[in-house]
Amino acid sequence: MNDLLQVGVLTSTHGVRGEMKVFPTTDDVKRFKKNKEYVLETPKGNIDVKVESVKFFKQFVILKFEGFDNIDEIAPYKGCNLLVTRQHAVKCAKDEYFIADLIGLTVCEEDGTHIGQLTDVIQTGANDVYVVETPEGKEHLFPAIKECVLGVDMTEGKVTVHIMPGLLD
Protein backbone atom coordinates (compact mmCIF):
# COMPACT_ATOMS: atom_id res chain seq x y z
CA MET A 1 0.00 0.00 0.00
CA ASN A 2 1.17 3.49 -0.80
CA ASP A 3 1.88 5.81 2.13
CA LEU A 4 1.01 8.83 -0.02
CA LEU A 5 -2.24 9.29 -1.93
CA GLN A 6 -2.83 11.82 -4.70
CA VAL A 7 -5.58 14.38 -4.02
CA GLY A 8 -4.84 16.93 -6.74
CA VAL A 9 -2.60 18.36 -9.43
CA LEU A 10 -1.26 21.92 -9.40
CA THR A 11 -2.39 23.35 -12.73
CA SER A 12 -1.51 27.05 -12.79
CA THR A 13 -0.82 30.06 -10.66
CA HIS A 14 -3.68 32.27 -9.51
CA GLY A 15 -2.83 35.92 -9.08
CA VAL A 16 0.56 37.20 -7.97
CA ARG A 17 0.47 36.41 -4.23
CA GLY A 18 1.56 32.76 -4.43
CA GLU A 19 -1.81 31.06 -4.87
CA MET A 20 -2.11 27.97 -7.05
CA LYS A 21 -5.08 26.43 -8.88
CA VAL A 22 -5.39 22.76 -8.04
CA PHE A 23 -7.42 20.25 -10.03
CA PRO A 24 -8.81 17.89 -7.38
CA THR A 25 -8.43 14.15 -7.93
CA THR A 26 -10.31 13.28 -4.76
CA ASP A 27 -14.00 12.49 -4.31
CA ASP A 28 -14.20 14.88 -1.36
CA VAL A 29 -13.14 18.43 -2.28
CA LYS A 30 -14.19 19.63 1.17
CA ARG A 31 -11.10 17.83 2.44
CA PHE A 32 -9.10 20.89 1.43
CA LYS A 33 -10.92 22.93 4.10
CA LYS A 34 -10.23 20.28 6.77
CA ASN A 35 -6.66 19.18 6.12
CA LYS A 36 -3.78 21.62 6.18
CA GLU A 37 -0.80 19.30 5.63
CA TYR A 38 0.14 18.04 2.17
CA VAL A 39 3.13 16.83 0.20
CA LEU A 40 4.18 18.29 -3.17
CA GLU A 41 5.65 15.62 -5.44
CA THR A 42 8.35 17.41 -7.42
CA PRO A 43 11.03 16.14 -9.82
CA LYS A 44 13.64 17.02 -7.18
CA GLY A 45 11.85 15.20 -4.36
CA ASN A 46 8.87 15.62 -2.10
CA ILE A 47 8.22 18.85 -0.20
CA ASP A 48 5.98 19.10 2.87
CA VAL A 49 3.62 22.08 2.60
CA LYS A 50 0.99 23.64 4.85
CA VAL A 51 -2.13 25.34 3.51
CA GLU A 52 -2.59 28.95 4.53
CA SER A 53 -5.88 29.57 2.71
CA VAL A 54 -8.45 27.73 0.59
CA LYS A 55 -10.93 29.01 -2.01
CA PHE A 56 -13.09 27.25 -4.55
CA PHE A 57 -13.42 28.43 -8.18
CA LYS A 58 -15.38 26.41 -10.74
CA GLN A 59 -13.87 22.90 -10.78
CA PHE A 60 -10.65 24.09 -9.10
CA VAL A 61 -9.46 24.56 -5.56
CA ILE A 62 -7.24 27.59 -5.06
CA LEU A 63 -4.62 26.98 -2.39
CA LYS A 64 -2.11 29.30 -0.77
CA PHE A 65 0.76 27.47 0.89
CA GLU A 66 2.74 28.91 3.82
CA GLY A 67 6.12 30.27 2.70
CA PHE A 68 5.10 30.81 -0.94
CA ASP A 69 4.26 34.49 -1.05
CA ASN A 70 4.56 35.42 -4.70
CA ILE A 71 4.00 33.99 -8.16
CA ASP A 72 7.72 33.35 -8.77
CA GLU A 73 8.01 31.10 -5.71
CA ILE A 74 5.03 28.86 -6.57
CA ALA A 75 5.19 28.85 -10.40
CA PRO A 76 7.92 26.15 -10.65
CA TYR A 77 5.52 23.65 -9.09
CA LYS A 78 2.97 23.82 -11.89
CA GLY A 79 2.11 20.26 -12.95
CA CYS A 80 3.20 18.69 -9.66
CA ASN A 81 1.00 16.23 -7.82
CA LEU A 82 -0.47 17.17 -4.48
CA LEU A 83 -0.39 14.24 -2.09
CA VAL A 84 -1.68 13.48 1.37
CA THR A 85 -0.31 10.99 3.86
CA ARG A 86 -2.47 7.99 4.66
CA GLN A 87 -2.81 9.42 8.18
CA HIS A 88 -4.54 12.51 6.75
CA ALA A 89 -6.55 10.62 4.12
CA VAL A 90 -10.34 10.54 4.17
CA LYS A 91 -11.49 7.38 5.90
CA CYS A 92 -13.07 4.84 3.58
CA ALA A 93 -16.51 3.47 4.36
CA LYS A 94 -17.23 -0.25 4.41
CA ASP A 95 -16.55 -1.81 0.98
CA GLU A 96 -14.76 1.35 -0.21
CA TYR A 97 -11.08 1.32 -1.15
CA PHE A 98 -8.48 3.71 -2.45
CA ILE A 99 -7.81 3.09 -6.14
CA ALA A 100 -4.08 3.04 -5.41
CA ASP A 101 -4.65 0.08 -3.06
CA LEU A 102 -6.70 -1.88 -5.61
CA ILE A 103 -4.15 -1.65 -8.42
CA GLY A 104 -2.08 -4.82 -8.54
CA LEU A 105 -4.52 -7.10 -6.71
CA THR A 106 -5.05 -10.62 -8.05
CA VAL A 107 -8.50 -11.24 -9.54
CA CYS A 108 -10.06 -14.71 -9.21
CA GLU A 109 -13.38 -16.33 -9.97
CA GLU A 110 -15.53 -17.51 -7.07
CA ASP A 111 -14.20 -21.06 -7.53
CA GLY A 112 -10.61 -19.76 -7.15
CA THR A 113 -9.69 -19.80 -10.86
CA HIS A 114 -7.10 -17.09 -11.54
CA ILE A 115 -8.23 -14.48 -14.09
CA GLY A 116 -5.50 -11.86 -13.90
CA GLN A 117 -4.39 -8.68 -12.22
CA LEU A 118 -6.36 -5.48 -11.57
CA THR A 119 -4.48 -2.82 -13.53
CA ASP A 120 -6.81 0.20 -13.46
CA VAL A 121 -10.11 1.53 -12.16
CA ILE A 122 -12.32 3.56 -14.49
CA GLN A 123 -14.68 5.94 -12.74
CA THR A 124 -17.80 6.20 -14.87
CA GLY A 125 -20.12 8.04 -12.51
CA ALA A 126 -22.69 5.26 -12.19
CA ASN A 127 -20.20 2.70 -10.86
CA ASP A 128 -16.50 2.05 -11.10
CA VAL A 129 -15.19 -0.45 -13.62
CA TYR A 130 -12.20 -2.67 -12.82
CA VAL A 131 -9.74 -3.27 -15.65
CA VAL A 132 -8.25 -6.75 -15.33
CA GLU A 133 -5.34 -7.95 -17.44
CA THR A 134 -4.96 -11.68 -18.01
CA PRO A 135 -1.54 -13.40 -18.07
CA GLU A 136 -1.93 -13.49 -21.89
CA GLY A 137 -2.22 -9.68 -21.96
CA LYS A 138 -5.95 -9.47 -22.73
CA GLU A 139 -8.02 -6.87 -20.86
CA HIS A 140 -11.44 -7.51 -19.35
CA LEU A 141 -13.76 -4.95 -17.77
CA PHE A 142 -15.68 -5.83 -14.62
CA PRO A 143 -18.32 -3.46 -13.25
CA ALA A 144 -17.72 -2.82 -9.54
CA ILE A 145 -21.23 -3.87 -8.54
CA LYS A 146 -22.26 -6.42 -5.91
CA GLU A 147 -23.49 -8.89 -8.55
CA CYS A 148 -20.04 -8.98 -10.14
CA VAL A 149 -17.45 -8.10 -7.48
CA LEU A 150 -18.15 -10.51 -4.63
CA GLY A 151 -15.36 -9.40 -2.35
CA VAL A 152 -12.08 -7.60 -1.89
CA ASP A 153 -9.56 -9.05 0.55
CA MET A 154 -6.76 -6.55 1.08
CA THR A 155 -4.92 -8.95 3.42
CA GLU A 156 -4.71 -11.66 0.76
CA GLY A 157 -4.39 -9.13 -2.08
CA LYS A 158 -7.33 -10.66 -3.92
CA VAL A 159 -10.57 -9.62 -5.61
CA THR A 160 -13.20 -12.33 -6.05
CA VAL A 161 -15.57 -11.88 -8.99
CA HIS A 162 -18.62 -13.59 -10.45
CA ILE A 163 -18.37 -13.93 -14.21
CA MET A 164 -21.56 -12.42 -15.56
CA PRO A 165 -22.65 -13.50 -19.07
CA GLY A 166 -20.68 -11.67 -21.75
CA LEU A 167 -17.90 -10.31 -19.53
CA LEU A 168 -15.14 -12.50 -20.95
CA ASP A 169 -16.34 -12.47 -24.57
Side-chain angles (χ1 to χ4, degrees):
M1 288 203 273
N2 298 330
D3 289 332
L4 296 172
L5 303 167
Q6 182 182 15
V7 293
V9 178
L10 280 63
T11 60
S12 64
T13 57
H14 180 79
V16 295
R17 295 193 176 121
E19 293 177 313
M20 183 64 84
K21 282 185 187 175
V22 176
F23 181 78
T25 58
T26 176
D27 291 343
D28 182 13
V29 293
K30 291 183 177 126
R31 72 169 303 115
F32 293 102
K33 283 280 193 190
K34 299 172 193 167
N35 186 39
K36 299 296 179 196
E37 297 179 19
Y38 294 91
V39 176
L40 272 180
E41 183 181 47
T42 76
K44 295 181 181 177
N46 292 346
I47 301 171
D48 293 331
V49 292
K50 289 191 178 186
V51 172
E52 190 174 294
S53 68
V54 179
K55 297 186 251 182
F56 298 96
F57 177 72
K58 297 183 181 178
Q59 78 267 28
F60 295 101
V61 180
I62 299 172
L63 298 179
K64 165 83 172 72
F65 300 115
E66 290 179 6
F68 295 88
D69 297 319
N70 67 57
I71 192 171
D72 295 328
E73 293 173 345
I74 197 66
Y77 300 104
K78 178 181 174 186
C80 290
N81 292 328
L82 187 63
L83 311 172
V84 66
T85 62
R86 198 169 280 279
Q87 169 190 353
H88 290 106
V90 174
K91 303 299 180 227
C92 291
K94 186 179 186 289
D95 295 330
E96 284 186 343
Y97 306 93
F98 293 114
I99 291 173
D101 293 341
L102 292 171
I103 304 294
L105 295 183
T106 300
V107 179
C108 297
E109 290 184 55
E110 47 200 322
D111 65 1
T113 305
H114 178 79
I115 298 172
Q117 186 174 48
L118 199 148
T119 59
D120 198 5
V121 177
I122 302 168
Q123 296 180 293
T124 65
N127 58 268
D128 290 348
V129 176
Y130 293 172
V131 179
V132 178
E133 186 174 321
T134 67
E136 299 80 30
K138 188 172 180 183
E139 282 189 348
H140 297 290
L141 303 177
F142 291 87
I145 57 175
K146 290 180 182 181
E147 296 81 14
C148 185
V149 177
L150 302 178
V152 175
D153 187 333
M154 297 305 282
T155 308
E156 287 189 33
K158 183 171 92 172
V159 178
T160 303
V161 297
H162 168 72
I163 306 295
M164 298 170 70
L167 281 182
L168 299 181
D169 295 340

